[in-house]
Amino acid sequence: MKTDSVIKILFIENSVEDAEHIVTLLRNAGTAVRPARATTLEQIHAALEELSPDVVLYNPTVNGLALRSVAQQIDASSRDIALVACVPKIDDQSVAEMFQDGVQGVGSRSQPKQLITVIKREFDALNTRRQVRRLEAALRESERRCDALLDSSNDPIAYVHEGMHVRANRSYLDTFGYADFDDLLGLPVLDLIGPSDSEAFKNLLRALSRGEKAEYRLELHARRADSSTFPATAEFAHATFESEPCLQIVFRRQHIDPTLVEQLQRDAVTGLYNRARTLESIDNAVAAASEGRKGQTLLLVEPDNWAPIVNGIGLGKADELLAAFAHRVSMQLGSEDIAGLLAEHTIGVILHTENDDAIRTWIDGLRRAISSEIFDLGTQSITLSASIGGSLLGEKNANTDMLLNQASQALRSAQSQGGNRNELHDPAAREKADAERERNWLNLLRQALAQNEFVLYHQQTISLQDAEGDYSEILLRMNGPQGEVSPGFFMPIAEKYGLNAEIDRWVLNQAINALKARDRLNIPTTFFVKLTPDSMQQQANLLPWLDQTLKQANLKHGRLVLEMTESKVVTMLRPAQEFITAWKKLGGFFALEQFGSGLNSFQLLNHIHADYLKIDRSFMADLPQHPENQKKITEICSQSHEMKRLTVAEWVEDAASTSLLFACGVDFVQGNFLQEPQPLVVNI
């Protein structure tokens, strides 16, 4: 499941706090949640209509709501919704009864990891069912269009079921000398094959019908109705006709020069397969893996520091260098291996090996071959290193997009750790690889702190209500070996090893220095700066430091707004309350991020005095197409203004959304559509 997927959950739960606890668990696990709660059948009906939930989380202890009644209510809505029971303790008898009553999964409240896994699994299964339905509809539409196009095709095409003709186009009838399809109906296709090729044709049909591995092309002599023959190539594909599985057979008489076809499939610079042919090879490998083939791996190979190298040698020599690099890769290929150019300087390799050790041996051999080579470019000679990322291909990841993403992530991870490395996605070895990657990230983090290798950006937050001054969100990056790295990569490691508070202090110090520089230019500026829970827990050290640093800065026009997500604040309400109270005494401001995503977000404001409420980003996705989200944002803004709070809409990506947000009463908007993040100038 994608980490940015939003699960809409209807809680059938007595306690708001219990529901909020599960919402917090999911958010801490990286899953966005849109919750609602119901305790009666009437409320369930209303929530099913308004929220259209993905998952209904049912607590059997809710009075007056039998599980069977809830399941019937869901069935009556005619929606595909996952029903999950959340119980204090799992026992075999109760689980069996709940499954009989209609649940798809059972989670234990006392085992949070198991509960979250069950919810995610059912959400994944729901998305899979939805995708299957969309694909089935698309398939039916494609079949309808194909049938309409069949008669207009110049290629002789027939559909064969159990060796008999069930459909053929006009070109097929003309080619074989039949006036009408009735002459072919029920005629074995084998009767149209020359005697010398009939046995091979029959064996191939048998193999394909059994789902065995076989070639999908056969050179043969076809036989017309008058018993004359002609050379042809029969191409086979699995198909359906009137919902029955069958074979599509195309007889091609034209002969294309194989050398010309080969040339058209090659990249002009490297001599490797071009992108289209490489993607086709990957699709074929994925199809083979889905049918049980083992021993296939997709690798992505890139020369390290390509842009600086090209700048050094000149653009005119770039193609020559890339061709030499590609030649070195192709020299390592085995007879079954395939290599092609997938991007400007990214080479994709489909490797066929017997075991994991052979894969790593091949990768190590390629890296050594590249690093030991001296590449001569006219009067210049240079050396290269390469980073390699890949993914083992099996039945579980037999999906082209998934496979490419896994290999790409592995490549980027290898590059971010300094290059001249390789990383292989292997679910079976994930724990070991994660531990190694974690150690590398930890070393990079400590180095960044010691050598001041963090970078700050700011993204302007624009007032829709003509507020004075500049407002900006401060964004953190880290200088990695291969360029800047976003916090999603390193902050989880920093949290695990207790470095968040130290990073927060570095960011705050830089932000205050930038405010001080703007102060000297009389530019009223407000910075929103994220604060981690570690810093809030260590407020006894942070607050005195903030007090001293701000006094030294002596800001006249600058303001600092510290912000934290609603879900984090909920889990540490007491220390958050104490910190915010003390911070406001120092003249600071506070903002709640991801506001409105909880069951009762405004109840939190009875305990936390937040000056700004940053509306949860899930409401912004395709806002013009979701009137229910527009209504929710309007409600949030109305209540916020009654409480003298200002609202901020983040992740705004189009002009239509901006206009709608203004109409909803939002005070500030922020997003890449309005302004891309810019480097923060600390000293002006």
Side-chain angles (χ1 to χ4, degrees):
M1 184 179 63
K2 295 180 180 180
T3 55
D4 60 352
S5 297
V6 179
I7 307 181
K8 293 184 285 187
I9 301 181
L10 172 59
F11 289 89
I12 300 177
E13 182 71 70
N14 287 316
S15 166
V16 175
E17 289 74 18
D18 288 344
E20 283 283 9
H21 177 66
I22 296 173
V23 171
T24 301
L25 288 174
L26 283 164
R27 287 188 181 136
N28 290 342
T31 302
V33 181
R34 183 85 56 78
R37 176 172 162 267
T39 55
T40 66
L41 287 175
E42 292 75 16
Q43 291 175 350
I44 292 173
H45 176 75
L48 291 175
E49 293 298 322
E50 184 175 344
L51 181 67
S52 296
D54 304 305
V55 178
V56 172
L57 202 59
Y58 171 78
N59 183 350
T61 64
V62 174
N63 295 328
L65 273 181
L67 175 56
R68 191 177 295 275
S69 299
V70 174
Q72 289 173 349
Q73 185 90 323
I74 293 173
D75 290 341
S77 70
S78 300
R79 294 185 176 93
D80 188 357
I81 299 172
L83 177 58
V84 177
C86 181
V87 298
K89 185 179 179 182
I90 294 178
D91 65 84
D92 294 343
Q93 181 62 33
S94 62
V95 168
E97 291 174 355
M98 284 187 284
F99 274 104
Q100 287 179 346
D101 286 340
V103 301
Q104 281 87 45
V106 179
S108 172
R109 197 181 296 275
S110 61
Q111 298 292 330
K113 289 184 178 180
Q114 186 266 350
L115 174 61
I116 299 307
T117 301
V118 169
I119 293 172
K120 287 185 174 182
R121 182 196 68 196
E122 293 306 321
F123 183 59
D124 284 344
L126 174 66
N127 281 331
T128 300
R129 293 195 299 273
R130 289 171 175 169
Q131 181 69 6
V132 167
R133 285 193 289 270
R134 285 193 290 268
L135 290 173
E136 287 174 342
L139 177 61
R140 287 192 294 271
E141 176 63 16
S142 296
E143 288 176 339
R144 186 188 64 77
R145 292 183 180 182
C146 286
D147 193 61
L149 292 170
L150 189 64
D151 283 326
S152 64
S153 174
N154 292 324
D155 290 321
I157 303 172
Y159 288 88
V160 175
H161 179 64
E162 296 182 351
M164 310 295 279
H165 289 94
V166 293
R167 177 82 163 87
N169 67 350
R170 185 72 252 170
S171 179
Y172 190 91
L173 297 174
D174 293 341
T175 298
F176 285 93
Y178 290 92
D180 193 86
F181 179 69
D182 289 342
D183 299 332
L184 275 179
L185 190 62
L187 183 70
V189 69
L190 197 58
D191 288 359
L192 304 185
I193 307 301
S196 60
D197 299 306
S198 60
E199 190 64 28
F201 189 86
K202 182 167 61 177
N203 291 336
L204 182 55
L205 277 184
R206 187 182 295 117
L208 291 173
S209 65
R210 292 174 178 172
E212 298 174 0
K213 293 180 181 178
E215 290 292 332
Y216 282 78
R217 294 168 59 94
L218 182 64
E219 302 286 340
L220 48 73
H221 283 79
R223 184 166 57 184
R224 299 185 183 92
D226 60 5
S227 297
S228 62
T229 62
F230 61 91
T233 300
E235 297 179 357
F236 301 82
H238 290 285
T240 58
F241 180 73
E242 295 183 351
S243 302
E244 290 291 333
C246 63
L247 281 175
Q248 181 196 73
I249 306 178
V250 182
F251 287 87
R252 301 194 187 276
R253 299 185 61 180
Q254 62 270 31
H255 294 281
I256 300 175
D257 184 358
T259 305
L260 177 60
V261 174
E262 178 73 11
Q263 289 176 353
L264 292 173
Q265 294 177 340
R266 294 286 176 177
D267 175 66
V269 173
T270 63
L272 302 176
Y273 282 131
N274 58 26
R275 175 179 169 82
R277 179 65 177 85
T278 307
L279 289 174
E280 181 184 339
S281 298
I282 294 172
D283 286 337
N284 292 339
V286 166
S290 66
E291 295 175 359
R293 180 166 182 175
K294 298 179 181 179
Q296 300 182 108
T297 304
L298 174 64
L299 301 176
L300 300 181
V301 186
E302 279 190 8
D304 292 325
N305 305 307
W306 180 253
I309 288 173
V310 170
N311 289 336
I313 65 174
L315 196 58
K317 295 290 183 181
D319 283 353
E320 186 179 343
L321 178 59
L322 183 60
F325 180 81
H327 177 70
R328 175 49 62 190
V329 174
S330 62
M331 291 289 288
Q332 302 293 119
L333 299 177
S335 59
E336 290 188 75
D337 301 334
I338 295 171
L341 198 66
L342 280 172
E344 180 189 0
H345 57 280
T346 305
I347 296 174
V349 177
I350 302 172
L351 201 63
H352 296 81
T353 53
E354 295 298 325
N355 53 57
D356 294 357
D357 290 338
I359 298 170
R360 289 178 171 81
T361 300
W362 190 92
I363 291 173
D364 291 340
L366 176 60
R367 282 179 47 211
R368 283 195 304 270
I370 291 171
S371 60
S372 63
E373 177 92 358
I374 296 176
F375 295 89
D376 294 316
L377 307 168
T379 59
Q380 303 179 68
S381 297
I382 66 169
T383 58
L384 290 177
S385 63
S387 293
I388 303 171
S391 179
L392 304 181
L393 176 55
E395 193 172 356
K396 284 189 175 180
N397 66 338
N399 176 282
T400 300
D401 288 341
M402 180 189 298
L403 181 67
L404 285 167
N405 285 337
Q406 289 171 347
S408 179
Q409 288 173 8
L411 175 63
R412 299 303 166 222
S413 180
Q415 291 173 329
S416 67
Q417 297 174 60
N420 196 24
R421 294 172 182 263
N422 57 270
E423 186 162 318
L424 201 60
H425 176 88
D426 179 6
R430 182 176 294 177
E431 290 185 9
K432 182 178 179 181
D434 286 349
E436 176 66 24
R437 184 162 53 249
E438 194 172 283
R439 283 193 295 271
N440 288 326
W441 278 116
L442 182 59
N443 291 334
L444 289 171
L445 273 169
R446 287 173 173 160
Q447 177 182 315
L449 282 168
Q451 300 179 15
N452 207 37
E453 292 181 348
F454 288 109
V455 181
L456 290 184
Y457 282 73
H458 72 101
Q459 185 174 45
Q460 192 170 6
T461 303
I462 298 172
S463 173
L464 297 180
Q465 311 297 335
D466 296 327
E468 293 184 2
D470 290 344
Y471 293 77
S472 287
E473 171 99 9
I474 301 300
L475 304 171
L476 177 65
R477 304 287 185 267
M478 182 176 74
N479 276 326
Q482 294 292 314
E484 292 179 358
V485 184
S486 63
F489 284 96
F490 60 81
M491 287 305 284
I493 309 298
E495 180 179 6
K496 183 174 182 179
Y497 289 93
L499 298 177
N500 275 355
E502 193 174 349
I503 294 173
D504 281 352
R505 190 170 293 201
W506 184 91
V507 173
L508 286 166
N509 188 59
Q510 296 294 105
I512 291 170
N513 287 337
L515 285 173
K516 187 164 57 174
R518 288 166 173 253
D519 227 36
R520 289 195 294 268
L521 300 176
N522 292 321
I523 303 174
T525 304
T526 299
F527 281 162
F528 292 86
V529 180
K530 299 182 190 299
L531 198 67
T532 63
D534 288 354
S535 291
M536 196 168 280
Q537 295 282 13
Q538 299 176 26
Q539 56 185 281
N541 297 321
L542 178 62
L543 285 168
W545 176 84
L546 274 171
D547 186 24
Q548 180 182 356
T549 306
L550 287 169
K551 284 179 178 176
Q552 290 174 350
N554 191 27
L555 299 176
K556 300 286 194 303
H557 307 288
R559 297 200 308 175
L560 197 60
V561 183
L562 301 182
E563 60 185 25
M564 187 177 288
T565 63
E566 177 188 322
S567 58
K568 296 288 186 185
V569 171
V570 166
T571 60
M572 48 184 302
L573 193 55
R574 181 67 66 186
Q577 192 178 43
E578 294 171 355
F579 176 87
I580 294 167
T581 301
W583 169 235
K584 285 185 168 296
K585 289 180 180 178
L586 300 180
F589 298 84
F590 190 76
L592 277 173
E593 284 193 291
Q594 298 177 8
F595 187 81
S597 58
L599 283 168
N600 194 350
S601 298
F602 280 95
Q603 186 178 9
L604 181 62
L605 297 181
N606 294 328
H607 309 282
I608 298 296
H609 186 80
D611 305 281
Y612 297 87
L613 306 178
K614 292 195 162 187
I615 301 170
D616 189 67
R617 61 180 288 190
S618 64
F619 293 109
M620 306 304 156
D622 297 322
L623 182 62
Q625 284 75 48
H626 293 281
E628 72 279 6
N629 288 354
Q630 299 168 31
K631 179 182 176 183
K632 180 69 174 178
I633 293 170
T634 301
E635 292 172 356
I636 290 174
C637 292
S638 177
Q639 286 185 261
S640 300
H641 294 156
E642 288 177 8
M643 302 176 73
K644 308 300 182 186
R645 266 64 163 188
L646 298 173
T647 55
V648 182
E650 300 180 290
W651 299 88
V652 180
E653 298 301 334
D654 55 74
S657 294
T658 306
S659 300
L660 288 170
L661 291 167
F662 175 76
C664 292
V666 170
D667 297 292
F668 296 89
V669 290
Q670 176 188 336
N672 289 345
F673 164 74
L674 301 163
Q675 186 202 55
E676 295 279 347
Q678 305 293 319
L680 179 67
V681 179
V682 175
N683 296 308
I684 301 176

